[in-house]
Amino acid sequence: MPETFSPEPFEIEGADGGPLRLDLYAPPAPACGPPVILFHGFRGYKEWGFIPLLATRLSEEGLPAVAFSASGSGVRDR
């Protein structure tokens, strides 16, 4: 059975001073490459659609993945 990957949420300050909310999907073993940055499209957010599925798959393959919701994306407290 494949492992379940839970993202590690964190925040940094965006260019506009608003929060940039990120989820890090880290592989269980040392990473085999640079992190892959996943960005949602118009009217999306980091927990929407294929983003969590793709981030989980990348981490299963040994690549760290970072998904984020941009400040001003219309999503609050995510």
Side-chain angles (χ1 to χ4, degrees), residues 56-71:
T56 298
R57 178 58 192 242
L58 289 166
S59 62
E60 289 172 347
E61 296 298 320
L63 291 168
V66 177
F68 69 96
S69 292
S71 59

Side-chain angles (χ1 to χ4, degrees), residues 14 16-21 39-40 42-44 69-76:
D16 64 356
L20 186 59
R21 295 177 177 94
F39 183 65
H40 61 77
F42 180 67
R43 295 183 64 181
S69 292
S71 59
S73 66
V75 178
R76 298 187 191 273

Side-chain angles (χ1 to χ4, degrees), residues 19-41:
L20 186 59
R21 295 177 177 94
L22 303 104
D23 285 342
L24 171 63
Y25 291 77
C32 67
V36 177
I37 299 173
L38 303 171
F39 183 65
H40 61 77

Side-chain angles (χ1 to χ4, degrees), residues 23 25 39-54 67 69 75 78:
D23 285 342
Y25 291 77
F39 183 65
H40 61 77
F42 180 67
R43 295 183 64 181
Y45 51 95
K46 63 183 172 61
E47 295 95 355
W48 180 79
F50 69 91
I51 300 280
L53 299 172
L54 179 57
S69 292
V75 178
R78 284 201 169 269

